[in-house]
């Protein structure tokens, strides 16, 4: 069985997490979160995990070389033998270069890159309409997935518990989009030049995006 490694690109709210779960389930490969990997390495006390701990405990950003080291350890696990999905990494061209170099050194497959393309205004509408139940954590949307009664959670039945997260307010979303376009969007051209990028229109219902994703990964 050949190795299938995948990176998802796309703005916040583009649906990367949803599509990554589909790919993980459909292809039987783990979805790897950078944050989870760092916390696990720290807890395990491995040499690279101890390096990560120094930065994490002091509230500093973990350097790229340490993140790559943690990732190298994680990819050596048995469940990654046939592939994996990277969640939240790389975010910059420097990180993409470091990742490719590490994988080439270890004779691992270079990831295929799926970009979920969604216009900024759609992202703002998606995220700003999201509501979270402060009692049970259920997530709703004022337009696409509303509760049956206004401000009453369908899951737990509590009234007055539906809240808008601070980072789901329109002004905050636009700031997040600016950071994405400045730092992460250049990865699209980076991977396109290397003929590893597939773009999928994410401004459609989830099932249509799912179908195009699985076709791209066939």
């Amino acid at each position: 069985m050949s190795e299938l490694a995948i990176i998802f690109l796309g703005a916040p709210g583009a649906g990367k997490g949803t599509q990554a779960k589909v790919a993980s389930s459909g292809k039987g490969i783990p979805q790897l979160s950078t944050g989870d990997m760092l916390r696990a390495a720290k807890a395990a006390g491995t040499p690279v995990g101890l390096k990560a701990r120094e930065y994490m405990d002091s509230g500093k950003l973990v350097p790229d070389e340490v993140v790559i080291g943690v990732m190298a350890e994680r990819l050596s696990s048995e469940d990654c033998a046939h592939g994996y999905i990277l969640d939240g990494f790389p975010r910059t061209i420097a990180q993409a270069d470091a990742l490719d170099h590490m994988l080439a050194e270890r004779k691992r497959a270079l990831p295929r890159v799926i970009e979920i393309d969604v216009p900024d205004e759609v992202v703002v509408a998606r995220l700003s309409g999201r509501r979270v139940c402060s009692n049970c954590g259920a997530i709703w949307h004022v337009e696409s997935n509303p509760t049956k009664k206004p401000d009453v959670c369908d899951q737990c039945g509590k009234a007055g518990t539906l809240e808008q997260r601070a980072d789901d307010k329109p002004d905050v979303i636009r700031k997040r989009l600016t950071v994405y376009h400045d730092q992460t969007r250049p990865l699209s051209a980076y991977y396109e030049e290397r003929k590893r990028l597939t773009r999928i229109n994410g401004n459609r219902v989830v099932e249509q995006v799912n179908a195009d994703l699985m076709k791209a990964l066939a």
Side-chain angles (χ1 to χ4, degrees), residues 23 43 88 101 211:
H101 182 70

Side-chain angles (χ1 to χ4, degrees), residues 184-196:
T184 306
R185 188 60 194 268
L187 286 171
S188 179
Y190 174 91
Y191 286 119
E192 189 168 39
E193 288 172 5
R194 288 156 179 77
K195 303 188 186 306
R196 289 159 54 192

Side-chain angles (χ1 to χ4, degrees), residues 10 15 20 29 32 34 42 44 79 85 88 96 108 114 116 136 139 174:
I29 54 179
L32 306 181
T34 308
K42 174 185 170 182
D79 65 334
I85 296 167
R108 300 292 297 259
I114 305 293
I116 310 295
C136 70
I139 299 175
R174 294 186 191 283

Side-chain angles (χ1 to χ4, degrees), residues 9-60:
L9 294 182
K16 300 185 299 296
T18 298
Q19 300 307 324
K21 287 179 182 176
V22 170
S24 175
S25 175
K27 297 296 181 179
I29 54 179
Q31 181 179 352
L32 306 181
S33 160
T34 308
D36 289 346
M37 283 189 280
L38 286 169
R39 286 186 287 273
K42 174 185 170 182
T46 63
V48 71
L50 294 174
K51 285 185 182 179
R53 177 184 291 173
E54 293 176 17
Y55 294 95
M56 295 168 75
D57 287 353
S58 60
K60 296 178 181 177

Side-chain angles (χ1 to χ4, degrees), residues 98-144:
L99 175 64
D100 278 2
H101 182 70
M102 180 270 286
L103 293 171
E105 278 188 338
R106 287 159 178 74
K107 295 182 172 55
R108 300 292 297 259
L110 296 180
R112 299 170 63 174
V113 183
I114 305 293
E115 182 175 38
I116 310 295
D117 193 21
V118 177
D120 285 1
E121 290 310 310
V122 174
V123 168
V124 174
R126 282 184 182 179
L127 296 184
S128 63
R130 189 162 57 183
R131 298 294 184 269
V132 180
C133 178
S134 60
N135 182 59
C136 70
I139 299 175
W140 308 96
H141 195 280
V142 296
E143 293 182 0
S144 62

Side-chain angles (χ1 to χ4, degrees), residues 46-180:
T46 63
V48 71
L50 294 174
K51 285 185 182 179
R53 177 184 291 173
E54 293 176 17
Y55 294 95
M56 295 168 75
D57 287 353
S58 60
K60 296 178 181 177
L61 192 66
V62 181
D64 289 351
E65 62 269 20
V66 177
V67 176
I68 288 292
V70 168
M71 196 167 293
E73 283 189 343
R74 179 66 182 87
L75 296 185
S76 66
S77 301
E78 187 177 345
D79 65 334
C80 295
H82 299 301
Y84 53 88
I85 296 167
L86 292 183
D87 181 359
F89 193 91
R91 293 185 184 274
T92 65
I93 288 177
Q95 291 177 351
D97 277 333
L99 175 64
D100 278 2
H101 182 70
M102 180 270 286
L103 293 171
E105 278 188 338
R106 287 159 178 74
K107 295 182 172 55
R108 300 292 297 259
L110 296 180
R112 299 170 63 174
V113 183
I114 305 293
E115 182 175 38
I116 310 295
D117 193 21
V118 177
D120 285 1
E121 290 310 310
V122 174
V123 168
V124 174
R126 282 184 182 179
L127 296 184
S128 63
R130 189 162 57 183
R131 298 294 184 269
V132 180
C133 178
S134 60
N135 182 59
C136 70
I139 299 175
W140 308 96
H141 195 280
V142 296
E143 293 182 0
S144 62
N145 186 31
T147 53
K148 294 174 183 175
K149 296 180 181 179
D151 206 26
V152 178
C153 178
D154 287 358
Q155 183 162 298
C156 68
K158 291 272 188 176
T161 59
L162 302 186
E163 300 176 348
Q164 184 181 46
R165 291 171 175 162
D167 60 356
D168 282 343
K169 296 184 183 299
D171 58 332
V172 177
I173 296 167
R174 294 186 191 283
K175 289 178 182 176
R176 292 169 65 194
L177 284 168
T178 297
V179 172
Y180 166 73

